[in-house]
Amino acid sequence: MNWEVIFKWLPRLAEGAVLTLELVAIAVVAGLILAIPLGIARSSRRWYVRAVPFSYIFFFRGTPLLVQLFLVYYGLAQFDAVRSNALWPYLRDPFWCTVLTMTLHTAAYIAEILRGALQSIPKGEIEAARALGMSRGKTLFYIMLPRAARIGLPAYSNEVILMLKASALASTVTLLELTGMARTIIARTYLPVEIFFAAGVFYLAISFLLVQGFKLLERWLRVDASQGR
């Protein structure tokens, strides 16, 4: 193991790690925002309300993220309407194409997590809220969504870790995130073992910090809930 080469290129790998964190942070937050209405509609009793989110979720869960990324990055440029659109400066940028694809992809999974969490809420809690005179909207926003957040948080944390690892696919569209930076360095040094080892350590460190952060959040939510009772 050539440790001198590893230490020499650590700053460049750190730059790639920062870009990876930016991709994941934007995607999982935007994906969560998009997933909330999808998850609510997906848990509806009316089939025509469930139809659209079901189709969306079926497509993005049933196709590989890499294929979706290629469709967005290479496919959108084939349409004149897209190239003449005001959003074209963003849609031709590999960073924003990757963010868009990751957001749409993770939103489908988070929506299913939210649907399962909403359906796991004890009916007695919902009936108690309605008995107190709360409307359906207030019951949803003040009772069901906060409760579903606690139930679905462990699964959401797993999804964030999965998106961290999936962000490595961004290197296929010339983006120099952690994996892309590692491949660029390997092309110069011809030392794949050392560089990929260092990149793997970065991924492990980020995953560890994310896991610990979600554990603290879960613990805080439980304490807050117990105090509320």
Side-chain angles (χ1 to χ4, degrees), residues 8-144:
K8 175 184 177 181
W9 292 102
L10 278 181
R12 297 298 302 277
L13 289 172
E15 292 178 12
V18 170
L19 184 56
T20 293
L21 287 173
E22 291 178 1
L23 289 171
V24 175
I26 297 173
V28 298
V29 172
L32 176 61
I33 295 172
L34 177 60
I36 291 175
L38 288 172
I40 294 173
R42 183 75 176 86
S43 60
S44 174
R45 296 179 180 179
R46 298 175 175 85
W47 68 268
Y48 52 86
V49 177
R50 299 194 306 265
V52 173
F54 174 81
S55 301
Y56 174 92
I57 293 169
F58 179 78
F59 173 79
F60 281 98
R61 294 182 69 194
T63 56
L65 177 59
L66 182 60
V67 173
Q68 297 165 17
L69 181 59
F70 285 167
L71 286 174
V72 172
Y73 185 67
Y74 296 110
L76 291 180
Q78 307 301 314
F79 301 97
D80 294 333
V82 175
R83 293 198 300 270
S84 61
N85 194 284
L87 296 177
W88 176 239
Y90 298 97
L91 294 177
R92 69 183 180 184
D93 188 306
F95 176 84
W96 292 110
C97 284
T98 304
V99 166
L100 176 62
T101 307
M102 290 175 62
T103 297
L104 295 175
H105 181 86
T106 192
Y109 285 88
I110 298 173
E112 278 297 283
I113 293 171
L114 181 59
R115 179 192 65 82
L118 287 171
Q119 294 180 347
S120 299
I121 299 174
K123 293 184 179 180
E125 296 183 13
I126 301 174
E127 293 172 355
R130 298 304 303 277
L132 291 173
M134 298 182 71
S135 64
R136 291 183 181 273
K138 287 186 176 180
T139 301
L140 175 64
F141 286 101
Y142 292 105
I143 303 298
M144 297 178 66

Side-chain angles (χ1 to χ4, degrees), residues 12-30 95-96 98-99 102-103 156 160-161 163-168 170 175-181 199 201-211 214:
R12 297 298 302 277
L13 289 172
E15 292 178 12
V18 170
L19 184 56
T20 293
L21 287 173
E22 291 178 1
L23 289 171
V24 175
I26 297 173
V28 298
V29 172
F95 176 84
W96 292 110
T98 304
V99 166
M102 290 175 62
T103 297
Y156 177 71
V160 173
I161 299 299
M163 290 310 298
L164 170 66
K165 294 185 286 186
S167 66
L175 204 60
L176 294 182
E177 43 66 64
L178 185 53
T179 299
M181 186 65 74
V201 171
F202 271 100
Y203 279 115
L204 284 173
I206 296 171
S207 298
F208 176 79
L209 292 175
L210 288 174
V211 169
F214 276 109

